[in-house]
Amino acid sequence: MSSASSAGRDTRSEILSQPEIWETTLKQLVSGESGDLPDLSSYDYVLFTGCGSTYFLSQWAARHCQQLRQVQAAALPASELLIFPSAWLRSGARGLLVAVSRSAETTETLRAVEAFRELTKGDTLAITCNPQGPLAKRARWVLAAPHAQETSVAQTRTFTSMMLLAARLIDGGHAPQAHSALPAAARALLDQYGELAEAVGRDLQLDRFFFLGSGARYGLACEAMLKMKEMSLSQSEAYHFMEIRHGPMSMVDGRAVVLGLMGVEGRDYEAQVIADMQTLQARTMELSPDGAGPAGQIALGAEALPPIWRDPLYLPFLQLVAFHRAVAKGLNPDRPTHLEFVVKLDG
């Protein structure tokens, strides 16, 4: 990978540091530093919430939670709980609110916790990178990765580290297995595909990006879409794989990139969607656990890990594409246009 300019230096460092940061996070989880955590199966429902990136993380976590723990689970933006609490919350049921916030200071998330407590009297758990923040102080349980904190506005290593914290909450038994396999797979991924990410990002003949993911990976596709918008101010959209046929593919042509976050289940359906996009002259790229997609372009590795622990591997390559596109456009991905590190509301 060629050296980047001073613009984006922090973002680049934070993306590339993820193998080491994950290693630290996983050591913390294996050591038991996270302490006792709630039994998700004992609740009538589990609700995940956040804002922006952490809402997309919540979407990913909710799908895994419902599948693995057999408990009703959903994700909502914190603003929905803040403005319309009675439309979403069940006062007569035993619920757990999992509030996700990098800073633990986002006003909407703090007020969502207050609304949940007032209406349901339920339990709360915080997932954050700031264990001293107000959100952590208001939650009954806290899962934190302070070593992952970053200076850039756009979330990269904080997002994937909080994914690991959520995985511990939902499916804690596999953390020891992930401890060795996941950081090694991340290093190999960055080494092998870093130049490809740079080439795609710097190709300004490409003018729109489509990120496809189904099941839990839809939340990750949305996060990749957001990174492309935040860092590079580029047109980008996210869809469930087969939804792109229902209208959005009218915008797919030779200047479009379609990036598929492919899984093992549903692979035949996903592969056919990619093939359809190729007939429209789009540039297509597939990320899959074993590289067995239509073109086998990007093999994530760690295919022996359960999906909930393997899923963070989808993001470093996509983050790098957004980073290099921002630099190629003369933008500073460390400080995206109009954005602040924390969104705080007045009053």
Side-chain angles (χ1 to χ4, degrees), residues 56 58-64 67 212-222 239-242 261-263 265-266 270 311:
F56 298 140
S58 295
Q59 290 181 313
W60 167 82
R63 298 282 56 77
H64 277 301
Q67 182 175 3
L212 307 181
S214 295
R217 293 183 301 279
Y218 174 66
L220 304 186
C222 290
Y239 297 98
H240 297 272
F241 256 92
M242 298 177 74
L261 284 67
M262 303 184 73
E265 72 289 358
E270 295 172 351
D311 282 354

Side-chain angles (χ1 to χ4, degrees), residues 9-263:
R9 179 171 50 199
D10 290 337
T11 298
R12 180 178 184 273
S13 174
E14 288 157 3
I15 294 172
L16 296 181
S17 69
Q18 285 174 104
E20 291 71 35
I21 294 297
W22 295 359
E23 199 163 36
T24 302
T25 303
L26 290 163
K27 284 181 180 178
Q28 169 188 319
L29 296 178
V30 171
S31 71
E33 290 181 33
S34 53
D36 293 333
L37 293 173
D39 176 9
L40 302 188
S41 301
S42 69
Y43 290 92
D44 296 318
Y45 69 97
V46 180
L47 189 58
F48 294 82
T49 193
C51 302
S53 287
T54 53
Y55 167 53
F56 298 140
L57 194 157
S58 295
Q59 290 181 313
W60 167 82
R63 298 282 56 77
H64 277 301
C65 182
Q66 182 154 313
Q67 182 175 3
L68 295 176
R69 301 303 293 269
Q70 299 296 300
V71 61
Q72 181 180 344
L76 284 173
S79 58
E80 287 291 298
L81 294 177
L82 167 61
I83 301 172
F84 308 110
S86 61
W88 300 107
L89 299 178
R90 297 165 53 190
S91 58
R94 185 168 187 258
L96 172 68
L97 178 67
V98 180
V100 189
S101 173
R102 170 177 64 174
S103 67
E105 298 177 358
T106 305
T107 305
E108 290 152 77
T109 305
L110 295 173
R111 293 182 182 175
V113 168
E114 293 172 0
F116 177 82
R117 280 178 157 178
E118 181 177 345
L119 193 60
T120 73
K121 314 302 181 187
D123 293 332
T124 56
L125 182 147
I127 293 177
T128 183
C129 292
N130 178 15
Q132 306 305 318
L135 177 64
K137 294 176 181 178
R138 299 180 192 187
R140 179 175 176 182
W141 296 280
V142 178
L143 278 167
H147 50 275
Q149 193 58 275
E150 54 207 2
T151 60
S152 300
V153 171
Q155 297 188 35
T156 55
R157 73 185 187 190
T158 51
F159 187 96
T160 53
S161 295
M162 289 189 292
M163 286 179 70
L164 296 177
L165 299 180
R168 166 65 181 87
L169 171 66
I170 297 165
D171 185 39
H174 290 98
Q177 182 185 2
H179 177 226
S180 59
L182 196 58
R187 290 187 185 96
L189 184 71
L190 291 167
D191 289 344
Q192 185 171 357
Y193 300 110
E195 291 184 358
L196 177 60
E198 182 173 3
V200 175
R202 288 184 172 275
D203 186 353
L204 298 184
Q205 295 301 307
L206 304 171
D207 71 353
R208 67 197 69 169
F209 292 77
F210 295 87
F211 299 92
L212 307 181
S214 295
R217 293 183 301 279
Y218 174 66
L220 304 186
C222 290
E223 169 61 10
M225 170 271 294
L226 182 61
K227 291 288 94 67
M228 185 62 68
K229 286 184 176 180
E230 287 178 324
M231 291 191 202
S232 75
L233 306 183
S234 298
Q235 181 177 340
S236 62
E237 302 180 41
Y239 297 98
H240 297 272
F241 256 92
M242 298 177 74
E243 282 297 300
I244 195 171
R245 291 193 181 111
H246 297 272
M249 75 179 198
S250 62
M251 297 183 65
V252 175
D253 57 21
R255 299 190 67 184
V257 187
V258 179
L259 300 107
L261 284 67
M262 303 184 73

